[in-house]
Amino acid sequence: MAALRLFSYLPNPRLMKATIAARLCGVEIEIRGDRPDNLSNWLWDFEARPLIDADGDRADIIAKTAHTGFGKKLYKTEQFLKTQPFGTVPAAFSPDGAMGIWESNSILRAVARLGREKLNLYGSDAYEASRIDSFLDSALVFARQSQIYLLSLSKTDCTTEIRDETSKSLNIFLKGIDAALLGNTEGMVENKLSIADICFACEVCQVSRERAHLNTLEENKLEKVCDFDLLKLEYPSAMAHFDRLISNKYFSPDISPLMNKLAKREIDFKKTD
Ligand SMILES: N[C@@H](CCC(=O)N[C@@H](CS)C(=O)NCC(=O)O)C(=O)O
């Protein structure tokens, strides 16, 4: 039986935090989900699945317009909302469905805790673990802004203010990581690979999904925030670490298909431009 069940839209770099950690420390996880557009046709539940006609008769399904990220109504069970009080995805569950965990960084921590016997990714003492938490918290501050940016790009109403705020937030995030690495190549905390590195790699992949919206960026006369060539010049240690991480064999099964698809989109866009 899987140690953790996850429900999310797919692909989702924030869910990849958990799958990369699970691969590294041998934790079995079960993933349910679908393309973002299709999740409005799914039952949001521990037993998540596509909706069926009979669901129309169920009194425990609450149909509500999403507050973040989905244009349509979402169908969440009362039990889902009991275990997931914020009602968001990615959503993780204990194997019996009784305990819900949300926020991708907390789901990542759960995987690391479950797998620490095989490989410890969450620090060797309270100080190291807390420093790792500091990186996760800094990443969440950045992630909040990148979410606003990516959602505004998908709604094609991104403004210069949103774009510039995101760029500023990315620069603050990368500046800290660049300084923390100080030439270290294995990891941000005590030069050991930890969930801080996994979170960092996935959040950079997430913001680089702006490349799925190159038309919108051009129409709104906006520059990308995640220009890898420029970022490499400005934050050489952070971006070299990012490159090393995404080509690591535990990361690449999740990251490479997404990054290759985005790179191809950029090449195709330049060809038609
Ligand atoms: N910071 C959270 C973001 C979670 C989130 O905002 N999820 C949105 C989709 S991007 C959601 O589930 N929205 C459902 C709703 O608003 O009802 C994380 O990293 O897990």
Side-chain angles (χ1 to χ4, degrees):
M1 193 199 284
L4 210 59
R5 185 181 293 182
L6 304 180
F7 172 52
S8 178
Y9 63 87
L10 303 170
N12 178 354
R14 292 193 174 128
L15 180 88
M16 291 174 193
K17 295 175 186 176
T19 48
I20 292 165
R23 194 172 294 116
L24 275 158
C25 53
V27 173
E28 197 190 324
I29 53 179
E30 181 192 335
I31 297 171
R32 297 188 182 198
D34 206 335
R35 291 163 43 83
D37 286 352
N38 293 345
L39 278 203
S40 49
N41 300 321
W42 272 63
L43 185 67
W44 289 41
D45 189 53
F46 171 61
E47 297 291 352
R49 54 162 173 76
L51 289 166
I52 54 172
D53 288 345
D55 290 332
D57 303 327
R58 277 177 60 169
D60 68 323
I61 299 176
I62 299 155
K64 262 199 194 152
T65 307
H67 50 78
T68 315
F70 296 93
K72 298 181 196 150
K73 277 203 168 122
L74 300 172
Y75 298 86
K76 303 177 186 178
T77 62
E78 284 172 359
Q79 185 58 21
F80 179 82
L81 290 169
K82 213 164 146 190
T83 48
Q84 301 286 345
F86 292 83
T88 52
V89 287
F93 300 90
S94 56
D96 61 0
M99 180 73 72
I101 304 152
W102 61 97
E103 280 296 336
S104 55
N105 287 351
S106 293
I107 299 170
L108 170 62
R109 287 184 182 96
V111 176
R113 287 179 176 121
L114 288 165
R116 74 175 294 136
E117 291 303 310
K118 182 172 173 213
L119 179 69
N120 180 13
L121 291 170
Y122 199 4
S124 59
D125 60 24
Y127 299 102
E128 263 184 44
S130 303
R131 187 168 164 88
I132 290 167
D133 283 338
S134 302
F135 280 108
L136 298 188
D137 287 352
S138 297
L140 181 56
V141 172
F142 163 62
R144 171 73 187 124
Q145 182 58 39
S146 79
Q147 184 183 47
I148 292 169
Y149 175 56
L150 291 169
L151 292 177
S152 71
L153 283 176
S154 46
K155 284 191 279 164
T156 68
D157 62 3
C158 185
T159 61
T160 311
E161 287 71 31
I162 295 176
R163 184 263 165 217
D164 290 352
E165 197 52 45
T166 310
S167 175
K168 193 171 142 197
S169 185
L170 176 63
N171 279 278
I172 291 169
F173 182 51
L174 291 180
K175 193 173 172 198
I177 286 165
D178 203 59
L181 278 162
L182 280 174
N184 286 339
T185 55
E186 298 305 315
M188 281 146 44
V189 176
E190 296 297 300
N191 202 20
K192 288 184 290 199
L193 183 71
S194 75
I195 55 173
D197 303 286
I198 298 174
C199 174
F200 158 62
C202 292
E203 288 299 345
V204 174
C205 287
Q206 173 74 350
V207 72
S208 85
R209 294 180 84 189
E210 65 179 345
R211 288 175 293 166
H213 306 281
L214 294 170
N215 273 325
T216 306
L217 285 167
E218 188 177 70
E219 276 160 26
N220 295 5
K221 298 188 177 48
L222 301 169
E223 295 291 326
K224 281 184 305 181
V225 303
C226 198
D227 182 323
F228 285 114
D229 292 334
L230 289 181
L231 293 176
K232 273 176 194 165
L233 292 176
E234 209 144 341
Y235 309 107
S237 300
M239 295 317 290
H241 191 48
F242 174 73
D243 283 344
R244 267 191 309 274
L245 290 172
I246 63 168
S247 54
N248 176 302
K249 67 176 179 183
Y250 293 97
F251 287 60
S252 56
D254 290 310
I255 304 279
S256 295
L258 176 69
M259 294 303 265
N260 292 344
K261 198 170 147 195
L262 292 169
K264 185 174 177 308
R265 277 205 189 210
E266 193 154 28
I267 292 165
D268 292 346
F269 180 78
K270 280 181 185 152
K271 271 192 213 151
T272 55
D273 213 24

